[in-house]
Amino acid sequence: GRNKMPVKFKESVAKIGANRKKVGTIHYYMHATSTKELVEKFENANTQPKLKQKISNELVKRKVSV
């Protein structure tokens, strides 16, 4: 199938340098987030269902059972 964009864990953040200029962007992708952090967020009652589903998909990909 078509190549999909990587799944985000949370919104990207613009990195601001000297003189309030944008010097780069920090992306928070699912595949780059630690398994420990994903499991903690997944088990948190305050996590939105949409994010829980995305985390669940990633954990299945990593063969981690919750």
Side-chain angles (χ1 to χ4, degrees), residues 9-22:
F9 177 62
K10 55 186 179 183
E11 282 188 31
S12 296
V13 175
K15 200 171 160 217
I16 307 295
N19 208 3
R20 296 291 302 154
K21 277 187 107 74
K22 188 176 168 189

Side-chain angles (χ1 to χ4, degrees), residues 41-59:
K41 195 80 172 165
F42 185 78
E43 290 172 346
N44 187 339
N46 298 327
T47 305
Q48 292 177 334
K50 181 179 179 178
L51 183 57
K52 278 194 175 185
Q53 182 61 61
K54 284 165 38 167
I55 292 171
S56 175
N57 292 344
E58 181 65 25
L59 292 175

Side-chain angles (χ1 to χ4, degrees), residues 6-7 9 28-34 38 58 61-62:
V7 180
F9 177 62
Y28 297 98
Y29 293 121
M30 236 11 128
H31 65 87
T33 309
S34 71
L38 290 177
E58 181 65 25
K61 196 173 97 177
R62 296 186 193 189

